[in-house]
Amino acid sequence: MNATAPNGSPVSRETALRIAMAARTLPGVNVAAFVHALGERLGLPVTDEKLARMTVADLKAMLQGDEIVDPGIEGSVLKSAVRYLWGEGLADDAPAPDADAPQGEGALTVAVASNSAEQLDGHFGSCNRFLIYRVAEDGIWLTGVRATLEADGAEDRNAARAELLAGCQLVYVQSIGGPAAAKVVRVGVHPVKFPAGGAAREVLKQLQSVLNSPPPWLARALGKEARSLARFVPAAEAEA
């Protein structure tokens, strides 16, 4: 299966994954700019074989020459990026959705920013995927996994990532910037910062525990009236 790099050059899915993972390792790097710089240095099309010849010295010279990153970037970070370009550490540990997820109303659809297995361990703008859960009072089920790789090739990657959250009411992330959060809210999703991270289902159990008596913001997401506000509704109005 082939993909298209931001500069229009066709690359294999494996090559695109190597480049995306390397770019995410480097602080402040734009994937499109990174692909363009690789294309200029290695020649088009960029292939796995060409990436395998990259060295730490090559990468450092390329990044500094194109002013993509701070010249003081740590050597250990460059080494990690080069290993990704070589194809190391790319094993896909994405979990499989639960086969017994029930359908019906009264549940939330929640996205979780993740880089590994069923962990909440990702930032909105750099996570490898969004895990999609159905959270109800009687259970938590993984219903889907949405990879972010192709969104990173978009002109507005944060908007493209926000579009991946279609159908969700909430997205849990370790961090998210203000402009990105605004784009998430624009598509009808409420971002929830959870810096500590952890096992996704354990984090969502905290959410599950308040579904019976949700705070106002969560009640709106569920389409319910918040119980904390019910006492302010006149009796006649409540019975109408």
Side-chain angles (χ1 to χ4, degrees):
M1 181 175 183
N2 291 332
T4 302
N7 61 5
S9 172
V11 296
S12 70
R13 192 166 214 33
E14 169 77 9
T15 301
L17 179 59
R18 291 188 187 192
I19 294 170
M21 293 300 293
R24 289 170 178 165
T25 304
L26 302 164
V29 166
N30 177 276
V31 177
F34 188 62
V35 172
H36 180 75
L38 280 171
E40 287 193 337
R41 186 169 190 89
L42 299 176
L44 298 176
V46 177
T47 64
D48 293 348
E49 291 73 21
K50 290 178 181 178
L51 293 178
R53 295 197 292 270
M54 285 289 290
T55 66
V56 170
D58 291 334
L59 182 60
K60 186 173 184 179
M62 183 189 83
L63 295 175
Q64 292 180 2
D66 287 276
E67 299 182 345
I68 293 178
V69 298
D70 185 331
I73 190 170
E74 295 182 7
S76 59
V77 175
L78 291 172
K79 288 179 182 178
S80 294
V82 167
R83 289 192 183 100
Y84 280 129
L85 292 177
W86 291 347
E88 297 181 4
L90 298 181
D92 187 1
D93 63 348
D98 297 330
D100 60 344
Q103 302 299 317
E105 299 180 354
L108 287 169
T109 301
V110 183
V112 172
S114 179
N115 290 312
S116 54
E118 281 197 67
Q119 294 292 309
L120 166 56
D121 60 357
H123 298 189
F124 175 79
S126 62
C127 64
N128 294 341
R129 53 186 170 250
F130 292 110
L131 306 176
I132 310 301
Y133 290 90
R134 174 184 167 84
V135 181
E137 291 183 41
D138 58 346
I140 298 172
W141 298 269
L142 177 66
T143 61
V145 179
R146 301 177 187 175
T148 59
L149 177 60
E150 293 189 13
D152 287 346
E155 183 175 348
D156 187 336
R157 61 185 295 186
N158 284 331
R161 281 172 173 260
E163 290 173 3
L164 289 175
L165 305 177
C168 298
Q169 286 83 45
L170 309 175
V171 58
Y172 274 69
V173 298
Q174 283 194 301
S175 71
I176 184 171
K183 291 172 182 176
V184 169
V185 171
R186 198 171 297 139
V187 297
V189 181
H190 185 95
V192 180
K193 290 184 182 180
F194 200 90
R201 293 187 196 240
E202 291 302 313
V203 173
L204 294 179
K205 282 181 181 178
Q206 299 178 36
L207 173 65
Q208 183 187 35
S209 69
V210 300
L211 290 181
N212 186 49
S213 183
W217 69 269
L218 184 54
R220 285 193 296 272
L222 282 165
K224 292 182 177 181
E225 179 187 4
R227 291 191 179 184
S228 59
L229 300 179
R231 66 181 183 274
F232 298 110
V233 179
E237 182 180 336
E239 294 173 0

